[in-house]
Amino acid sequence: MKKLSLLLLALAFALAAAVSGCCDQVADQNSAGPVALAKADQGAAAMVTSGRTQTPSDQAETKAGDAKPVPPAATKPAPADAKAPAEKAPAAPAAEKKIPAGEPIKIGAIFAVTGPASSLGLPEKQTVEMLQEKINATGGILGRPLQVIVYDDKGDPKETVNFANRLIQNDKVAAVIGPTTSGTSLAIIDALSEAQIPLVSCAASFKIVTDDAGKARKWIFKTPQSDSLAVEKIFDYLNQKQISKIAIMSSADGYGESGRDELKRLAPNYKIEILADEQFGPQDPDMNAQLTKIKGTVSKAIVIWGIQKAPAIIAQNAKTLGLTQLIIQSHGVASKTFIELCGDAADGQVLPAGRLIVVDQLADSDPQKALLAEYKKEFEAKFAPDKISTFGGHAYDAIMLVKLAIEKAGSTEPAKLRDALETIQGFSGTGGIFNMTVADHNGLTKDAFVMVEIKNKDWAIIKP
Amino acid sequence: MDFLLESLPQCLINGLTRGSIYALIAIGFTIVYNSTDAINFAQGEFSMLGGMIAVSLAGAVAGLGLVLPTWVYVPFAALAVMAVASAFELGAINPARKAAPVNLVIITIGGSILLKGIAMLIWGKDDLMLAPFSAARTIRLGPVGFELQSVWVWAATLIAVVLLHLFFRRTIAGKALRACAQDRTAGALMGIDAGRMTLIAFALAGAIGALAGVIVTPLIYVNYFSGTLIGLKGFCASVLGGMGSIPGAVVGGLAIGVLEQLFGTYLSTGYMDAFAFVVMLAVLLVRPSGLLGEPEGDRA
């Protein structure tokens, strides 16, 4: 009896390790982390392969509300669904639309649909599904149906690498979109470059597209505004407010460290002095120590670079400790979930964000307003009101850029796709107006951002 | 120097706040250690489960259109986690009861991984929130500010210590638990069912863990792996205070909390987490029985 129990326990141990082993302590997305059991990767991968584009949208409802207690998460779509190929033919047989036919064009996508970056990855996946339907309903690309193969890497660089290899070798895609975070993107730039398949990342760090020598990586592009642009926008704002002494707090992960580097690098250009340079862990229960230190300085503003709950905890702690500094967040928290997590400490914070979240407040003459309004309407109608986020917009831009490139090149050959991507000019996307060049694989300027303030638990655009 | 003086009160309050969280977890460690001589590394997960269950209950209640104060969920979460802890004891600890304590420790580590995995499957990977016990959040006393919820944590710790003290010293079950911990065989000779004692100990640890989890979630949110770090820090606190002594657990928890904050505020915030473990190592080297523990010895 004792042996049986121990055996059962060992089995449970192995099962639990297989399910959660590789996902432990994912907070530091830069680190290699403990070696995952090989079985764990396969086990976990099998569970999420069913992230083929036909996942039911009710799962979106349960995942979308971060602050509300999550009802037992719909266990990942049963593997049985994975066998069914993603739809190709358009749903509504509108007679005048061309029905795409022929070999589907396969594009890969890796998003952090679950895990620490899920509030970024889920809207990205939803957007991609929505766009795939829309594109196929209006004739596909080059007359062929679009098939986007979506994988969930859970924000874990080890999984991202696995899925990247699978997309390159098994699925043989023409291009890859995503991943969601800087850490996971940096993990696969080498693999994609060696395989010579273009990558259009949805993550922020400028290091993704720029190598250490300052040159653009040949096969890698990205759609979100670079963190360097966000920093410049923030510093412009500080100059305007005549604030020259600040404190910075950054999270100890890929996103935070990249932001910190940019803040320190660009501060002298704007005559801004950094009086305190603190770091925090993304999973820390509170940041009172760092804030107590900052309270002792004469800084007039605190710039915080992190995602998910940590910046919200900082805002609350700052209020509790009675700090008077202006709190400036990064564009990484530009979603409603953040406001919910902040609770009463939300109001008064300022951050740079893409125009998408304040589309209703834009002037009619703004060149991006029409596109943004349409995207917002369609997304919220399909998924949930008020769930629009700039991150979904990054995926939107990525897919549209790839579509444009294929149409421009007239082919799905990765090399031609890449060349075409590099020459796209004047594309008005959700993140801004893209002008790609050989030297610039992001294609945006700091005007892609607007400064936004949180008022009455909602976004309010700050007029320049 | 000015900075030192001005920020010291705030630093101490920060330390007491976090320290009381560690103290509650450390008490759970102590209870299990007192009856089985083994460390239960799933204690942090008991706390995490308490928080998660309360979140689900709050969600279900909200689904009915009601809003109940958060403390209402404490007894329900405690009962649920007691059930889980008891199941864990019956299924994993009891069959291995003749094993050396080190084996039991490894089993509890396995248990903690299992609970984490189950929590991840049920509740997903997001951070979940609970409303604080009372509406007002912040208290300011002069230059110092802290959250009202921290007061509840301190109150809960105090109540837990008093009740447990009474339990262990004044009730038969409590005394039986202590007897069992001292010498299992002698206890059996006195008619104490050791298996039942261990079960009670785990159930109790589960309840305390759940209490800690629910009280602390409004402060720091909860997700499927938030139990790990808190559990490890709580373990450090028990070691510092003296494994096996409940007042020691409280003293250890508060001490670790304050020391951590002092180190972080005046030296380096980057290494703050590591500092707690350094303290534990120092204690083990210099005075293994901890601050309030009794030195143990075996006859050669």
PDB file of all heavy atoms in Angstrom, chain A residues 268-281:
ATOM      1  N   PRO A 268      21.027  62.667 -20.860  1.00  0.00           N
ATOM      2  CA  PRO A 268      21.873  63.861 -21.048  1.00  0.00           C
ATOM      3  C   PRO A 268      21.422  64.703 -22.240  1.00  0.00           C
ATOM      4  O   PRO A 268      21.525  65.933 -22.201  1.00  0.00           O
ATOM      5  CB  PRO A 268      23.267  63.278 -21.296  1.00  0.00           C
ATOM      6  CG  PRO A 268      23.229  61.901 -20.773  1.00  0.00           C
ATOM      7  CD  PRO A 268      21.811  61.437 -20.882  1.00  0.00           C
ATOM      8  N   ASN A 269      20.891  64.055 -23.298  1.00  0.00           N
ATOM      9  CA  ASN A 269      20.473  64.811 -24.481  1.00  0.00           C
ATOM     10  C   ASN A 269      19.365  65.799 -24.158  1.00  0.00           C
ATOM     11  O   ASN A 269      19.161  66.773 -24.874  1.00  0.00           O
ATOM     12  CB  ASN A 269      19.950  63.853 -25.569  1.00  0.00           C
ATOM     13  CG  ASN A 269      21.037  62.898 -26.042  1.00  0.00           C
ATOM     14  OD1 ASN A 269      22.129  62.917 -25.506  1.00  0.00           O
ATOM     15  ND2 ASN A 269      20.717  62.074 -27.012  1.00  0.00           N
ATOM     16  N   TYR A 270      18.593  65.502 -23.123  1.00  0.00           N
ATOM     17  CA  TYR A 270      17.468  66.361 -22.780  1.00  0.00           C
ATOM     18  C   TYR A 270      17.737  67.135 -21.494  1.00  0.00           C
ATOM     19  O   TYR A 270      16.832  67.720 -20.916  1.00  0.00           O
ATOM     20  CB  TYR A 270      16.187  65.503 -22.617  1.00  0.00           C
ATOM     21  CG  TYR A 270      15.677  64.949 -23.913  1.00  0.00           C
ATOM     22  CD1 TYR A 270      16.253  63.820 -24.483  1.00  0.00           C
ATOM     23  CD2 TYR A 270      14.631  65.562 -24.580  1.00  0.00           C
ATOM     24  CE1 TYR A 270      15.790  63.321 -25.678  1.00  0.00           C
ATOM     25  CE2 TYR A 270      14.155  65.063 -25.772  1.00  0.00           C
ATOM     26  CZ  TYR A 270      14.744  63.943 -26.318  1.00  0.00           C
ATOM     27  OH  TYR A 270      14.275  63.437 -27.508  1.00  0.00           O
ATOM     28  N   LYS A 271      18.978  67.142 -21.066  1.00  0.00           N
ATOM     29  CA  LYS A 271      19.386  67.834 -19.848  1.00  0.00           C
ATOM     30  C   LYS A 271      18.594  67.358 -18.638  1.00  0.00           C
ATOM     31  O   LYS A 271      18.156  68.143 -17.805  1.00  0.00           O
ATOM     32  CB  LYS A 271      19.218  69.361 -19.981  1.00  0.00           C
ATOM     33  CG  LYS A 271      19.784  69.980 -21.227  1.00  0.00           C
ATOM     34  CD  LYS A 271      20.925  70.937 -20.865  1.00  0.00           C
ATOM     35  CE  LYS A 271      21.421  71.748 -22.043  1.00  0.00           C
ATOM     36  NZ  LYS A 271      21.580  70.982 -23.283  1.00  0.00           N
ATOM     37  N   ILE A 272      18.410  66.057 -18.574  1.00  0.00           N
ATOM     38  CA  ILE A 272      17.662  65.498 -17.446  1.00  0.00           C
ATOM     39  C   ILE A 272      18.616  64.714 -16.563  1.00  0.00           C
ATOM     40  O   ILE A 272      19.460  63.965 -17.047  1.00  0.00           O
ATOM     41  CB  ILE A 272      16.520  64.610 -17.961  1.00  0.00           C
ATOM     42  CG1 ILE A 272      15.490  65.497 -18.634  1.00  0.00           C
ATOM     43  CG2 ILE A 272      15.905  63.805 -16.840  1.00  0.00           C
ATOM     44  CD1 ILE A 272      14.215  64.807 -18.972  1.00  0.00           C
ATOM     45  N   GLU A 273      18.464  64.906 -15.255  1.00  0.00           N
ATOM     46  CA  GLU A 273      19.363  64.267 -14.309  1.00  0.00           C
ATOM     47  C   GLU A 273      18.625  63.135 -13.594  1.00  0.00           C
ATOM     48  O   GLU A 273      17.534  63.338 -13.056  1.00  0.00           O
ATOM     49  CB  GLU A 273      19.775  65.317 -13.283  1.00  0.00           C
ATOM     50  CG  GLU A 273      21.146  65.115 -12.678  1.00  0.00           C
ATOM     51  CD  GLU A 273      21.384  66.134 -11.561  1.00  0.00           C
ATOM     52  OE1 GLU A 273      20.961  67.297 -11.771  1.00  0.00           O
ATOM     53  OE2 GLU A 273      21.923  65.764 -10.532  1.00  0.00           O
ATOM     54  N   ILE A 274      19.238  61.972 -13.586  1.00  0.00           N
ATOM     55  CA  ILE A 274      18.613  60.835 -12.901  1.00  0.00           C
ATOM     56  C   ILE A 274      19.202  60.737 -11.501  1.00  0.00           C
ATOM     57  O   ILE A 274      20.359  60.380 -11.328  1.00  0.00           O
ATOM     58  CB  ILE A 274      18.856  59.531 -13.677  1.00  0.00           C
ATOM     59  CG1 ILE A 274      18.249  59.646 -15.072  1.00  0.00           C
ATOM     60  CG2 ILE A 274      18.251  58.362 -12.935  1.00  0.00           C
ATOM     61  CD1 ILE A 274      18.436  58.412 -15.915  1.00  0.00           C
ATOM     62  N   LEU A 275      18.384  61.059 -10.505  1.00  0.00           N
ATOM     63  CA  LEU A 275      18.895  61.092  -9.135  1.00  0.00           C
ATOM     64  C   LEU A 275      18.885  59.718  -8.467  1.00  0.00           C
ATOM     65  O   LEU A 275      19.639  59.483  -7.535  1.00  0.00           O
ATOM     66  CB  LEU A 275      18.063  62.058  -8.285  1.00  0.00           C
ATOM     67  CG  LEU A 275      18.083  63.516  -8.749  1.00  0.00           C
ATOM     68  CD1 LEU A 275      17.219  64.363  -7.836  1.00  0.00           C
ATOM     69  CD2 LEU A 275      19.512  64.034  -8.769  1.00  0.00           C
ATOM     70  N   ALA A 276      18.001  58.850  -8.911  1.00  0.00           N
ATOM     71  CA  ALA A 276      17.936  57.525  -8.293  1.00  0.00           C
ATOM     72  C   ALA A 276      17.596  56.508  -9.373  1.00  0.00           C
ATOM     73  O   ALA A 276      16.739  56.751 -10.210  1.00  0.00           O
ATOM     74  CB  ALA A 276      16.887  57.504  -7.192  1.00  0.00           C
ATOM     75  N   ASP A 277      18.289  55.392  -9.350  1.00  0.00           N
ATOM     76  CA  ASP A 277      18.120  54.361 -10.377  1.00  0.00           C
ATOM     77  C   ASP A 277      17.846  53.051  -9.656  1.00  0.00           C
ATOM     78  O   ASP A 277      18.754  52.360  -9.243  1.00  0.00           O
ATOM     79  CB  ASP A 277      19.413  54.311 -11.204  1.00  0.00           C
ATOM     80  CG  ASP A 277      19.438  53.136 -12.171  1.00  0.00           C
ATOM     81  OD1 ASP A 277      18.395  52.494 -12.371  1.00  0.00           O
ATOM     82  OD2 ASP A 277      20.523  52.861 -12.714  1.00  0.00           O
ATOM     83  N   GLU A 278      16.554  52.748  -9.471  1.00  0.00           N
ATOM     84  CA  GLU A 278      16.176  51.568  -8.692  1.00  0.00           C
ATOM     85  C   GLU A 278      15.638  50.462  -9.581  1.00  0.00           C
ATOM     86  O   GLU A 278      15.094  50.733 -10.651  1.00  0.00           O
ATOM     87  CB  GLU A 278      15.103  51.949  -7.659  1.00  0.00           C
ATOM     88  CG  GLU A 278      15.553  52.976  -6.652  1.00  0.00           C
ATOM     89  CD  GLU A 278      16.634  52.460  -5.747  1.00  0.00           C
ATOM     90  OE1 GLU A 278      16.585  51.272  -5.377  1.00  0.00           O
ATOM     91  OE2 GLU A 278      17.538  53.234  -5.419  1.00  0.00           O
ATOM     92  N   GLN A 279      15.759  49.234  -9.111  1.00  0.00           N
ATOM     93  CA  GLN A 279      15.189  48.115  -9.846  1.00  0.00           C
ATOM     94  C   GLN A 279      14.268  47.321  -8.949  1.00  0.00           C
ATOM     95  O   GLN A 279      14.377  47.370  -7.729  1.00  0.00           O
ATOM     96  CB  GLN A 279      16.305  47.209 -10.380  1.00  0.00           C
ATOM     97  CG  GLN A 279      17.050  47.831 -11.528  1.00  0.00           C
ATOM     98  CD  GLN A 279      18.078  46.884 -12.091  1.00  0.00           C
ATOM     99  OE1 GLN A 279      19.050  46.573 -11.431  1.00  0.00           O
ATOM    100  NE2 GLN A 279      17.862  46.422 -13.303  1.00  0.00           N
ATOM    101  N   PHE A 280      13.360  46.581  -9.570  1.00  0.00           N
ATOM    102  CA  PHE A 280      12.454  45.751  -8.781  1.00  0.00           C
ATOM    103  C   PHE A 280      12.195  44.462  -9.546  1.00  0.00           C
ATOM    104  O   PHE A 280      12.395  44.394 -10.757  1.00  0.00           O
ATOM    105  CB  PHE A 280      11.133  46.485  -8.522  1.00  0.00           C
ATOM    106  CG  PHE A 280      10.451  46.974  -9.766  1.00  0.00           C
ATOM    107  CD1 PHE A 280       9.546  46.172 -10.452  1.00  0.00           C
ATOM    108  CD2 PHE A 280      10.705  48.247 -10.250  1.00  0.00           C
ATOM    109  CE1 PHE A 280       8.921  46.617 -11.602  1.00  0.00           C
ATOM    110  CE2 PHE A 280      10.085  48.707 -11.397  1.00  0.00           C
ATOM    111  CZ  PHE A 280       9.194  47.893 -12.078  1.00  0.00           C
ATOM    112  N   GLY A 281      11.778  43.453  -8.844  1.00  0.00           N
ATOM    113  CA  GLY A 281      11.427  42.198  -9.485  1.00  0.00           C
ATOM    114  C   GLY A 281       9.983  42.243  -9.931  1.00  0.00           C
ATOM    115  O   GLY A 281       9.141  42.796  -9.242  1.00  0.00           O
TER     116      GLY A 281
END
